[in-house]
Amino acid sequence: MPALSDAERIARREVQIIAREDARRAKIDAIKVEKARKARERDTEAQALQTKKQIEEGERARRQEVAEKRERSIAAREAARQKDAAHAGERTGRQDKHASKYSKKSVLLLKEVFDEYDGDGYGTISLNEMRQSLIQKKEDKARAALQSKDLAVRQAAAGIDIADVVEPLFRTLDRDGDGEISFPELLAVLFPLATHTEMETMLSWVKKGPQGPNELPLTMSEEQLSELRAIFDIFDTDGSGALTLPELQAALASCGMTRGEIRDLFESADVDQRDGHLDFCEFVSMMTESEFL
């Protein structure tokens, strides 16, 4: 191979230098592109995090606003209820202070359940009484499941039963920790928002002793009594001031009750010597103790 001239060597060296410079610039450009790409990714991630943070803050603010609105609504309803109760008209010479936002029927049903567990009838439920009652109910359910052809019933009976957690349940209901559950304690757990007056009212509903035949229920407001008076006057077709059995049967015929059921309802409400008539007080008692209210 012939030797290169000086000019050729210089030209070749310049080509090599230019090639190396081009490669260096290409590498620098590639590094810049990669840095730019990573910077864009970081910006995108930062923006995504910022957006997520804004969404979370907005959601927290919305939940807080909803919670505050709910609390204000509850407070407003409670204030309105107390105002209505405070301005209710006097009945039988005294202010009615026994209004309650809770259903009398629910409280009476709860008392029936409580009495089922109160085995000795002392008015309180011990841990042993609760355990024995729940175990008995569990065994009854198991026997019923064995006789059932329904797979879902048998599977439910084989699962965890409330009898399996009787001790923590008992401790939750035994608020004063004296080893016994009283009915007021049960009410306090199930109706935690009840006021002191409402607790007294609910307890008065379950006190033993019949209500007098000529006494109106203390839990009725003037508005409720006015509505019942209007219904009573409609049922009292002869305007005698008392309802007869035929009048009540005619009025309740559209309610789906049989004439025999209406007769039983009438006779149970006619407490003043069974005179064959229902006065307004007896009518009010009948309506409050039945499922019509």
Side-chain angles (χ1 to χ4, degrees), residues 86-130:
H87 289 83
E90 292 187 355
R91 183 171 71 248
T92 63
R94 63 182 180 277
Q95 184 80 9
D96 180 10
K97 297 181 181 179
H98 299 274
S100 174
K101 59 179 173 285
Y102 301 105
S103 164
K104 180 179 180 181
K105 181 179 178 181
S106 298
V107 175
L108 294 177
L109 179 60
L110 182 61
K111 185 61 166 64
E112 290 181 7
V113 175
F114 180 88
D115 290 341
E116 289 181 5
Y117 287 85
D118 180 16
D120 56 16
Y122 286 167
T124 58
I125 301 174
S126 66
L127 175 58
N128 185 57
E129 286 178 323
M130 175 174 279

Side-chain angles (χ1 to χ4, degrees), residues 39 42 56 65 132 138 162 165 177 202 210 241 277 288:
R42 287 194 297 270
E56 290 175 348
E65 182 181 358
Q132 293 300 321
K138 180 179 181 179
I162 191 173
V165 292
M202 289 188 286
H277 295 82
T288 55

Side-chain angles (χ1 to χ4, degrees), residues 20-37:
R20 286 197 296 271
E21 183 66 19
D22 289 343
R24 186 182 66 82
R25 288 177 179 174
K27 184 177 181 180
I28 292 174
D29 291 341
I31 292 173
K32 289 180 178 180
V33 170
E34 180 65 16
K35 287 183 177 180
R37 183 185 66 79

